[in-house]
Amino acid sequence: MHQARTTCPYCGVGCGVRADIEDGRLTGVEGDGDHPANYGRLCVKGSALAETLGHHGRLTQPRVDGVEVDWDTALDAVAERIQAVREDAGDHAVAAYLSGQLLTEDYYVANKLFKGFLGTPHLDTNSRLCMASAVAAYKRSLGADAVPCSYEDLEEAELVVLVGSNLAWNHPVLYQRLRTAKSRNPLMRVVVIDPRVTDSCEIADLYLGLAPGSDARLFNGLLGWMADKGKLDDIYLEHHTEGLDAALAAAREDDCRIEAIAADCDVDAERLETFFYWFASQLHVVTLYSQGINQSSSGTDKCNAIINCHLAGGKIGLPGAGPFSITGQPNAMGGREVGGLANQLAAHMDYHTPGAIDRVTRFWTTETLVPSLPEAPGHKAVELFEAIERGEVQALWVMATNPAVSLPDANRVRAALEKCPLVIVSECMADTDLLPYADIVLPASSWSEKDGTVTNSERRISRQRGMLPPPGEARHDWWIVSAVARRLGYGEAFAYDHPAEIFAEHARLSGFENRPDAPDSRVFDISALAELDRSGYDALAPIQWPVTAESPRGTARLFEDGCFATPSGLAKLIPVRPRGPEQALSEARPLRLNTGRVRDQWHTMTRTGRAPRLMNHRAEPFIEITPEDAAALGVGDQQLARLTGAGGEYRARLRLTKSQRRGEVFVPMHWTDRFSGAARMGSLLAAHLDPLSGQPESKHGAVALEALEVGWEATLLVASDEGGDFAGRDDGSYWARIPLSHCQRWQLAGGDAPRDWLAWARQWLPTAPTLWSDDPTGGRLRAAGIEEGRLRWWLMVAPPAELPGLAWLDERFAESPLGSDVRRRLLAGCEAGEADAGPLVCSCHQVGQKAIVEAIQSGDASVEALGARLACGTQCGSCIPELKSLIEDSADVNAEPNIEEVSGHAHAGQAPQAVQVA
Ligand SMILES: Nc1nc2c(c(=O)[nH]1)N[C@H]1C(S)=C(S)[C@@H](COP(=O)(O)OP(=O)(O)OC[C@H]3O[C@@H](n4cnc5c(=O)[nH]c(N)nc54)[C@H](O)[C@@H]3O)O[C@H]1N2
Ligand SMILES: Nc1nc2c(c(=O)[nH]1)N[C@H]1C(S)=C(S)[C@@H](COP(=O)(O)OP(=O)(O)OC[C@H]3O[C@@H](n4cnc5c(=O)[nH]c(N)nc54)[C@H](O)[C@@H]3O)O[C@H]1N2
Ligand code: SF4
Ligand SMILES: [Mo]
């Protein structure tokens, strides 16, 4: 066995991972104690990495028009067909759509090929759905897309404001760092600003449950308040900024009295003023913002409203201070560095940067090849698919993202893909919602195989190391792109043998004609790494850019001297005029739709959906709604319901929760057609874009909710090797597939109940029933199929509330032959005396809610005591907020909950908890 050091492929925290490699397999992972992002910690997704690997379910062979082919045939087809489109319809008819989950080296060669040599500006990335507004705002005010802060600043701050970020679930290791820092520094305060009471509120001293979309009003109000109370940093403003007067004038166009701001944001005025006071009176303030801010039709303005307050108070460029946009994907930052957004050219140069086109042209010119760069920016993600719809773009190459799911108005995107004459998809998994639209499918290597670099949220470049060979014919993305480039005649510019060569070129470009004293110097400069040879690259330790001759060991904090990357050197305060969501509520669609993430899943679940223990925290797609709204609509907890939105519908199970405002529903972004019948949130949203950044308004849809009338519900477990795709044969109005360890669980529901359940079941089950018990009057049935001594399937027709614990049943699928005592208990579905564990709370140690509640009732009423008894919460810590709320719920059932209604007002002054009714 040996250990290799690499970086987690999920979120933008960018944790260092040590992986155990044994006999060509990755057998386990642990946090890298030396990595400065995590110092040994991992969250539940990171620590489950080993369980998501394996060749099963991978794409291993290229396909052209549905036929498996060898690489030569596939690459020839890609090159010939792209060339044909260019000859027919011009260079601009060719486009690429990339992802913040590519490595920097993959990204660099793709950007170079499309913008440099194919001469099309239409290369954009899923970072458009994620970071585009944050990027646009940093550029507008600081002069560069440069996150000023480091993770340490979160620990050194006296006030941390989380706005539109559920850090506890989405950047869990950073949240744990913040939590530890707060427990060490009793003076530190945390404020959470989010329409939902999330698990991040566990450490909050103050929570503002504002009306969705009202953040710009709130931060404009803060700026006005600071000015009125004499809390501006006049010296800082005078020496290092410009634009205060205009920004303040814009803020004052709205009534700046606390009561007026509070009314517009629908928060309690006293709490709002407390927040203003805290913000204004501390110097060391970090405001950390994410998708609740960015995914808005006015996201850039919202980011700038936040940055304005930091500039006005001089709270930037200092330890523990700054406006901190936290990155989502592992390499969203790296993609921005190479110029992967359609409005960028390369290496933090834009089309309009004077001399940039010429400079990049000269840099990419080889002895015999001169690149032909486009002159102006290309289509941004949503617009790109509109151009495909119009027939202007006729060839699209998608790498490492799934626009058929994650773009708004996703059904329209699907129709555009259907129409597009040439769709090429590079992907590592065999079964995604996008692949059916692909003419050419290219199997890509994946984490643990890929070799290159990623940049995390604090500008830290780390190595992701290739430790295992890719399965079958899968190849690295940079290799695939370079091989196509060679076939298109650009071999000399793409003669790479190893990612180290690509990285060195990228590093050289970052420093090319980039003089620190010149007015057009670029902050992104890693030229000190340009001389790394292969062994230096292999050994590269995590380092924060800029990395230059002046700062060869990297740079933790930017703008410490108050000198910004704008031509004048001054940071700009931007006048912001708050705008509400574009997706209007109406009588037909009266509910505000919020979308986001759950703790244990990653995006479209292609990887996390493979780890059974990650499936159990939220097993089915859901809709969260308040008990009051549910009652008004005549629906109940755990009932199935339908949302209807702009471009489609969404069917899922209701979860009643008080941790949300009235009139709002929340759905997860993760489910696809692979996992459920109609639970893609992208189909509910209309595509409204921020005019500056082009980022879609993914957080503020408008929907209607109604009960899904079903005559029956059933749970079916089928042995994993039966494979059979129930989805196609389902006659019900709802299904969800939940992979368990040894079987697939299908949650099913349909309209009219069949008269003869057994006959109905025989139509589509792999074998005839061996055991059954039915109660036709109650529409209930339990049955199981056993073949050659092995359990093949297990069926219960009844509402899922009647389910026994599934862990025991899951294990029985691995048992051969089944003992006779087991057969007797099979229909009851549990071991003698064993009860259902309830919903999974601790994924690391697989501890269910029932055991936790029992332990609390028997006296273990603290997180520590629960950890000592059940081990829950002792590994990654992500479930601690949930443990705490269970303790509080169970301990004083009759006591007043410490948050009241989450309908705008009256959130408690001290740490509120997420009260789950379900
Ligand atoms: N477990 C997990 N972690 C992830 C990911 C994942 O898929 N799963 N994905 C990664 C990626 S790519 C990203 S971009 C990040 C995203 O990380 P986050 O931005 O933290 O994630 P979200 O859940 O999308 O949204 C955050 C919060 O915004 C709130 N919100 C909605 N509307 C508003 C509003 O108008 N104002 C305010 N203030 N808040 C609002 C939502 O209620 C939600 O709690 O997570 C990363 N980490
Ligand atoms: N309504 C709503 N919509 C949203 C969001 C939201 O909060 N609400 N969030 C948005 C955000 S922030 C994001 S980042 C996007 C994410 O959405 P997507 O990017 O569409 O989702 P992923 O599942 O991450 O897609 C990555 C795909 O690439 C594959 N893959 C993984 N690694 C590799 C690799 O190395 N090479 C190749 N070729 N393929 C690979 C995976 O199997 C997967 O199919 O969704 C956006 N959409
Ligand atoms: S916090 Fe993010 S980077 Fe760290 S282990 Fe978890 S998912 Fe991976
Ligand atoms: Mo993201």
Side-chain angles (χ1 to χ4, degrees), residues 400-411:
T401 177
N402 192 338
V405 179
S406 54
L407 276 170
D409 210 353
N411 289 341

Side-chain angles (χ1 to χ4, degrees), residues 327-620:
T327 336
Q329 298 176 94
N331 200 30
M333 183 83 86
R336 286 143 67 178
E337 289 156 16
V338 306
L341 289 160
N343 49 314
Q344 304 173 330
L345 193 52
H348 275 213
M349 284 173 275
D350 288 344
Y351 287 92
H352 62 72
T353 313
I357 295 179
D358 171 59
R359 181 182 300 134
V360 178
T361 302
R362 282 184 285 113
F363 185 82
W364 279 340
T365 299
T366 63
E367 256 171 50
T368 57
L369 282 173
V370 181
S372 54
L373 269 58
E375 276 163 12
H379 297 310
K380 300 176 177 128
V382 171
E383 299 160 353
L384 174 59
F385 286 84
E386 287 166 2
I388 294 172
E389 189 178 52
R390 291 193 302 271
E392 288 165 23
V393 167
Q394 300 180 8
L396 175 71
W397 189 346
V398 181
M399 298 177 208
T401 177
N402 192 338
V405 179
S406 54
L407 276 170
D409 210 353
N411 289 341
R412 191 166 154 204
V413 168
R414 288 176 181 225
L417 283 166
E418 187 80 63
K419 233 179 96 175
C420 185
L422 175 60
V423 178
I424 303 160
V425 176
S426 298
E427 169 63 55
C428 23
M429 307 314 293
D431 191 21
T432 79
D433 280 11
L434 181 63
L435 289 174
Y437 300 92
D439 302 287
I440 303 181
V441 174
L442 305 171
S445 60
S446 179
W447 184 81
S448 77
E449 300 144 15
K450 300 188 71 134
D451 205 27
T453 56
V454 290
T455 310
N456 75 1
S457 296
E458 55 168 1
R459 291 173 279 106
R460 193 181 296 279
I461 299 170
S462 295
R463 289 279 279 111
Q464 242 190 49
R465 293 191 173 84
M467 301 166 286
L468 301 173
E473 290 298 312
R475 295 280 189 277
H476 303 314
D477 287 297
W478 67 264
W479 181 92
I480 301 173
V481 175
S482 305
V484 168
R486 282 195 287 276
R487 278 170 169 74
L488 286 162
Y490 313 127
E492 210 186 328
F494 292 85
Y496 307 112
D497 285 323
H498 190 273
E501 297 161 15
I502 305 170
F503 184 80
E505 182 179 315
H506 165 58
R508 262 200 329 277
L509 176 56
S510 76
F512 185 59
E513 299 176 1
N514 188 8
R515 284 174 303 274
D517 48 342
D520 62 346
S521 71
R522 286 111 61 194
V523 185
F524 175 67
D525 185 342
I526 53 167
S527 49
L529 301 175
E531 299 307 319
L532 280 185
D533 58 11
R534 194 169 308 178
S535 62
Y537 177 77
D538 279 338
L540 181 66
I543 188 162
Q544 282 173 288
W545 63 257
V547 193
T548 58
E550 293 75 44
S551 53
R553 304 165 71 106
T555 313
R557 192 171 304 107
L558 294 173
F559 313 124
E560 283 178 312
D561 56 0
C563 187
F564 291 87
T566 51
S568 63
L570 303 174
K572 288 199 187 85
L573 282 88
I574 306 290
V576 169
R577 292 183 177 79
R579 305 194 302 279
E582 292 282 337
Q583 293 171 86
L585 299 182
S586 63
E587 216 170 296
R589 294 208 287 272
L591 293 168
R592 184 53 80 199
L593 173 76
N594 185 357
T595 64
R597 291 154 171 81
V598 304
R599 193 188 70 192
D600 292 2
Q601 289 302 336
W602 178 260
H603 295 171
T604 66
M605 297 163 59
T606 59
R607 290 173 288 168
T608 43
R610 291 155 66 89
R613 76 164 153 138
L614 298 181
M615 284 302 303
N616 286 331
H617 176 241
R618 296 284 185 271
E620 289 179 81

Side-chain angles (χ1 to χ4, degrees), residues 540-874:
L540 181 66
I543 188 162
Q544 282 173 288
W545 63 257
V547 193
T548 58
E550 293 75 44
S551 53
R553 304 165 71 106
T555 313
R557 192 171 304 107
L558 294 173
F559 313 124
E560 283 178 312
D561 56 0
C563 187
F564 291 87
T566 51
S568 63
L570 303 174
K572 288 199 187 85
L573 282 88
I574 306 290
V576 169
R577 292 183 177 79
R579 305 194 302 279
E582 292 282 337
Q583 293 171 86
L585 299 182
S586 63
E587 216 170 296
R589 294 208 287 272
L591 293 168
R592 184 53 80 199
L593 173 76
N594 185 357
T595 64
R597 291 154 171 81
V598 304
R599 193 188 70 192
D600 292 2
Q601 289 302 336
W602 178 260
H603 295 171
T604 66
M605 297 163 59
T606 59
R607 290 173 288 168
T608 43
R610 291 155 66 89
R613 76 164 153 138
L614 298 181
M615 284 302 303
N616 286 331
H617 176 241
R618 296 284 185 271
E620 289 179 81
F622 61 86
I623 303 165
E624 283 182 340
I625 186 170
T626 64
E628 295 81 2
D629 284 341
L633 289 159
V635 291
D637 194 31
Q638 299 302 314
Q639 199 177 327
L640 293 167
R642 171 191 288 118
L643 293 179
T644 315
E649 66 173 55
Y650 173 101
R651 301 195 289 266
R653 205 171 288 288
L654 289 170
R655 286 174 57 87
L656 267 48
T657 171
K658 284 189 189 162
S659 58
Q660 200 168 281
R661 298 162 50 91
R662 284 205 65 176
E664 292 163 27
V665 290
F666 175 82
V667 302
M669 64 159 301
H670 306 288
W671 271 264
T672 67
D673 291 348
R674 307 299 109 190
F675 289 92
S676 190
R680 284 185 289 108
M681 49 71 219
S683 67
L684 293 172
L685 293 154
H688 289 280
L689 309 184
D690 178 287
L692 294 166
S693 69
Q695 178 153 359
E697 183 181 79
S698 307
K699 287 277 182 275
H700 306 132
V703 293
L705 185 145
E706 60 183 344
L708 190 68
E709 300 300 341
V710 294
W712 58 273
E713 289 211 53
T715 304
L716 170 69
L717 308 180
V718 190
S720 295
D721 57 350
E722 289 292 346
D725 191 358
F726 188 86
R729 289 180 276 168
D730 165 34
D731 60 353
S733 53
Y734 171 80
W735 65 263
R737 178 173 68 86
I738 304 139
L740 303 183
S741 294
H742 307 289
C743 65
Q744 299 282 325
R745 170 180 163 198
W746 294 86
Q747 216 41 67
L748 309 166
D752 291 335
R755 246 175 263 130
D756 181 350
W757 281 108
L758 282 182
W760 171 81
R762 260 185 227 120
Q763 288 171 37
W764 41 262
L765 283 174
T767 64
T770 318
L771 308 166
W772 65 89
S773 79
D774 59 348
D775 166 16
T777 50
R780 298 248 185 308
L781 169 80
R782 285 190 185 207
I786 299 169
E787 199 178 52
E788 292 172 1
R790 292 173 59 214
L791 181 59
R792 307 310 295 156
W793 57 267
W794 182 94
L795 172 71
M796 178 190 92
V797 180
E802 295 180 21
L803 271 180
L806 294 177
W808 182 81
L809 275 169
D810 186 25
E811 286 298 319
R812 303 292 70 77
F813 280 87
E815 188 172 320
S816 175
L818 281 179
S820 54
D821 54 328
V822 168
R823 284 175 182 245
R824 248 181 280 122
R825 290 202 300 270
L826 210 50
L827 292 186
C830 56
E831 201 168 13
E834 193 214 301
D836 177 15
L840 194 70
V841 175
C842 171
S843 303
C844 296
H845 292 287
Q846 295 284 292
V847 188
Q849 186 173 316
K850 282 195 182 160
I852 294 167
V853 170
E854 274 167 28
I856 296 168
Q857 282 163 353
S858 68
D860 290 333
S862 71
V863 170
E864 294 71 28
L866 287 172
R869 172 166 334 182
L870 302 168
C872 51
T874 56

